[in-house]
Amino acid sequence: MIHIKDEIGVLGIDDGPFSKESKEVLLIGTYYRGNRILDGVYFKRIEKDGMDSTEKIVEIVKGKHEKKINVIFLDGITFGGFNIADIHKIYEKTNIPVVAVMNNLPDYEKIERALMKYFKDYESRISILRSLPKPEKFDDIYLQYVGIERKTLELIIKKTRLKSKVPECLRVSHLIGRGFLYL
């Protein structure tokens, strides 16, 4: 039996709200110990529909809590529109397991059609999408992950959520992002 300590260090990353006119989008990271202790909040700007979310996520991870982060949770794999996070590269550059958490199964055919229609560099974006592991259902969410075994991941998710279906670090990153709607 695998033992996961109650105060395991996890980082949750989500994006803030944006409009069609936005050039940049705020990336929000919260570092949690377990599901009750918020121990850090990070912000980075990414380009809306750009290709810099992977690099900016790595910058957040390399902050103050890097040595304490056991898992990086992402709210999906796209931020600020179609700024696709490459979970393989994030794992490669941090050596910390990366998990994209989604409420619904992504429609990759629809996403690929949109990428082909709106982006000149659609081939590299589609290449990242196709390199990702298939989403797997867990309770009421879907997971894409690298660098961790499924059983261990399930235990960590159970330890890091409070009353939500997602880890608390992701829930709070999302709440902070929603707060920017009212500025």
Side-chain angles (χ1 to χ4, degrees), residues 23-183:
K23 298 236 183 293
E24 291 184 322
V25 179
L26 202 58
L27 210 53
I28 300 123
T30 57
Y31 170 72
Y32 254 80
R33 293 186 330 207
N35 64 6
R36 296 186 197 278
I37 302 169
L38 172 61
D39 217 7
V41 180
Y42 300 93
F43 299 98
K44 288 281 180 190
R45 292 190 184 283
I46 58 169
E47 194 183 325
K48 183 180 135 220
D49 291 329
M51 286 293 286
D52 59 347
S53 64
T54 299
E55 160 196 333
K56 298 296 183 170
I57 290 166
V58 170
E59 286 177 19
I60 290 173
V61 172
K62 300 275 182 187
K64 178 182 174 193
H65 293 98
E66 178 181 12
K67 298 207 180 321
K68 300 179 201 166
I69 299 169
N70 294 283
V71 179
I72 302 161
F73 286 104
L74 307 179
D75 186 43
I77 52 143
T78 59
F79 299 91
F82 281 111
N83 198 325
I84 301 168
D86 185 335
I87 64 176
H88 292 291
K89 270 201 181 121
I90 296 166
Y91 176 64
E92 187 182 295
K93 291 181 179 204
T94 64
N95 206 31
I96 299 170
V98 183
V99 183
V101 179
M102 296 152 291
N103 286 317
N104 302 302
L105 198 56
D107 183 345
Y108 285 115
E109 285 180 26
K110 187 177 176 183
I111 294 168
E112 286 186 16
R113 281 195 305 275
L115 290 172
M116 285 190 260
K117 184 175 179 179
Y118 296 109
F119 296 94
K120 289 183 180 117
D121 63 349
Y122 70 87
E123 288 169 335
S124 60
R125 293 172 189 256
I126 289 172
S127 172
I128 295 169
L129 284 179
R130 290 183 179 172
S131 77
L132 300 173
K134 274 198 178 325
E136 297 178 17
K137 193 164 177 49
F138 172 68
D139 290 348
D140 291 336
I141 55 177
Y142 291 89
L143 309 169
Q144 286 175 288
Y145 55 93
V146 294
I148 191 167
E149 291 184 13
R150 169 76 186 228
K151 274 197 184 328
T152 306
L153 176 55
E154 287 178 10
L155 290 172
I156 292 171
I157 290 173
K158 287 175 184 172
K159 285 267 187 194
T160 57
R161 52 187 185 187
L162 199 51
K163 298 202 181 294
S164 170
K165 58 186 174 182
V166 300
E168 198 64 4
C169 59
L170 269 184
R171 190 182 77 78
V172 170
S173 289
H174 182 75
L175 284 175
I176 292 169
R178 276 203 351 227
F180 286 97
L181 277 171
Y182 306 104
L183 289 179

